[in-house]
Amino acid sequence: MTLIRIPQSWSISENQITPPRLYYNRRNFIKTLIGAGIGASLLPLTGCQGSTSGIGKSASAVELEKSINLPKIDSLTKNPNFQQVDRPIVAEKVAAQYNNFYEFGGTKKIWLDAQKLPIENWKVEVAGLVKNPRTYDLDDLKRKFPPEERVYRFRCVEAWSMVLPWIGFPMKALLADVEPTAKAKFVSFTSFYDPEITKGPGFHLGSLPWPYTEGLRIEEMANDLAFFATGIFGHDLPKQHGAPLRMVTPWKYGFKGAKSIVKIEFLAEQPATYWNTLDPNEYKFEANVNPDVPHPRWSQATEKFISTGPGLSWEIKETLPYNGYGEYVANLY
Ligand code: MTE
């Protein structure tokens, strides 16, 4: 089984091609983006590390309001098992500007750039080793799987964290609907990608393994915690958070949570995934939150917890094994 997907060379002219090895490291990836014309403001950022620069200042308050002023979700059940975490929920406007969505760029302005995402008539194809392959439209999904709210911790691989009130449905409900066959051992999730729309400068460099993909073992997908979000903060999912459907696996690092999913495929073998293809040493397929296993370039023992309040402020907290969800998932490993 090979985990490294040979990078595709779509959307690229010969003189733009850079040797793939230059990308096999997140920091190099970011440097490449800078080289490709993304502003120097990116420099302090690596991957999903945040920055205060986008909060409140450069952001257009009106645009931000618009991006989160979405239909309230009626008849919402608050799942009583997932309401309490011992930390406060982050302020909505902070979360709505503190995003990663590399298809739209690598700066902390991507919340604004992501507004280009076209979400009308969204379809999600479920394919591969299932008894009932099918394509859902979003209304189907919402009707079939009634929304519930779950308050989960969120932990980025680059050592920041927050608490978010997701709305959606458990992944195991979808499993019951499509019925994977006995051969299905893994699941691959593919994000929306259209080079004509998702173009930040540099994002057509052929060595980047677009579209963004993530994957789980089928037992992980069947776990109680594994969730598909269609909403957050009481309303539909804003585009910058991965509208209209994204993965939420709170015991894993945040990069596992693929946004704007268009395809879910059941497979016999472990699929290639975006960050793992870029650097398999730094971004493992499993990617469970673990304070005892440092990232090759920094410790995971503590995290910057982004606390509540209108501005960006944080306190240092100890990282919890499985991000505090060991009672649900430790038996899987
Ligand atoms: N999904 C897609 N399609 N593209 C991305 O760049 N970034 C990942 C994950 N899902 C990403 C993605 C990373 S690194 C993180 S930390 C989270 O989304 C951020 O989610 P948020 O912006 O809603 O906080």
Side-chain angles (χ1 to χ4, degrees), residues 26 47-49 95-105 108 110 154-158 160 162 164 166 190-192 210-214 232 237-242 246-247 253-261 274-275:
R26 212 175 203 190
C48 57
Q49 183 180 342
Q97 294 174 84
Y98 203 82
N99 308 105
N100 284 302
F101 209 159
Y102 284 101
E103 291 88 332
F104 293 97
K108 286 298 159 187
I110 50 109
F154 181 91
R155 171 59 157 83
C156 176
V157 70
E158 300 205 354
W160 58 264
M162 47 175 77
L164 293 162
W166 299 106
T190 306
S191 295
F192 174 86
W210 302 118
Y212 196 100
T213 51
E214 257 310 331
I232 195 168
L237 211 52
K239 293 182 177 181
Q240 59 266 47
H241 283 299
R246 73 173 284 168
M247 302 167 66
Y253 291 118
F255 69 86
K256 293 295 290 182
K259 296 179 166 185
S260 306
I261 294 169
Y274 186 82
W275 287 110

Side-chain angles (χ1 to χ4, degrees), residues 73-78 147-149 166-168 233-235:
I73 297 173
D74 294 330
S75 53
L76 185 60
T77 315
K78 289 178 186 271
E148 61 177 61
E149 184 187 75
W166 299 106
I167 295 161
F233 291 103
H235 52 66

Side-chain angles (χ1 to χ4, degrees), residues 129-325:
L129 303 171
V130 285
K131 291 187 190 144
N132 313 318
R134 55 176 297 181
T135 298
Y136 296 92
D137 66 35
L138 206 71
D139 290 339
D140 274 349
L141 275 176
K142 286 180 169 172
R143 251 193 315 271
K144 198 149 202 165
F145 309 114
E148 61 177 61
E149 184 187 75
R150 295 185 178 199
V151 177
Y152 277 164
R153 294 189 194 88
F154 181 91
R155 171 59 157 83
C156 176
V157 70
E158 300 205 354
W160 58 264
S161 66
M162 47 175 77
V163 171
L164 293 162
W166 299 106
I167 295 161
F169 58 93
M171 288 192 185
K172 66 181 178 185
L174 184 96
L175 285 178
D177 203 39
V178 299
E179 297 187 70
T181 67
K183 287 190 180 146
K185 303 285 182 242
F186 291 91
V187 193
S188 150
F189 303 84
T190 306
S191 295
F192 174 86
Y193 183 68
D194 176 343
E196 288 309 310
I197 297 170
T198 54
K199 57 178 167 206
F203 282 82
H204 293 281
L205 297 172
S207 300
L208 300 178
W210 302 118
Y212 196 100
T213 51
E214 257 310 331
L216 294 175
R217 279 166 39 207
I218 197 146
E219 299 82 8
E220 294 177 319
M221 186 176 179
N223 186 270
D224 261 354
L225 284 177
F227 201 62
F228 283 120
T230 53
I232 195 168
F233 291 103
H235 52 66
D236 283 352
L237 211 52
K239 293 182 177 181
Q240 59 266 47
H241 283 299
L245 181 79
R246 73 173 284 168
M247 302 167 66
V248 184
T249 48
W251 72 102
K252 293 180 178 289
Y253 291 118
F255 69 86
K256 293 295 290 182
K259 296 179 166 185
S260 306
I261 294 169
V262 292
K263 184 168 182 187
I264 300 169
E265 189 171 11
F266 289 79
L267 303 163
E269 302 216 327
Q270 184 174 306
T273 55
Y274 186 82
W275 287 110
N276 186 257
T277 300
L278 286 168
D279 193 329
N281 292 322
E282 301 206 353
Y283 307 101
K284 306 284 183 208
F285 180 84
E286 189 170 276
N288 291 334
V289 176
N290 189 341
D292 299 328
V293 177
H295 183 279
R297 291 181 282 119
W298 58 83
S299 163
Q300 294 290 22
T302 60
E303 64 202 41
K304 278 183 180 173
F305 171 66
I306 300 176
S307 37
T308 189
L312 183 68
S313 62
W314 55 68
E315 44 189 289
I316 302 297
K317 297 258 192 201
E318 286 190 1
T319 299
L320 303 170
Y322 300 111
N323 204 21
Y325 295 103

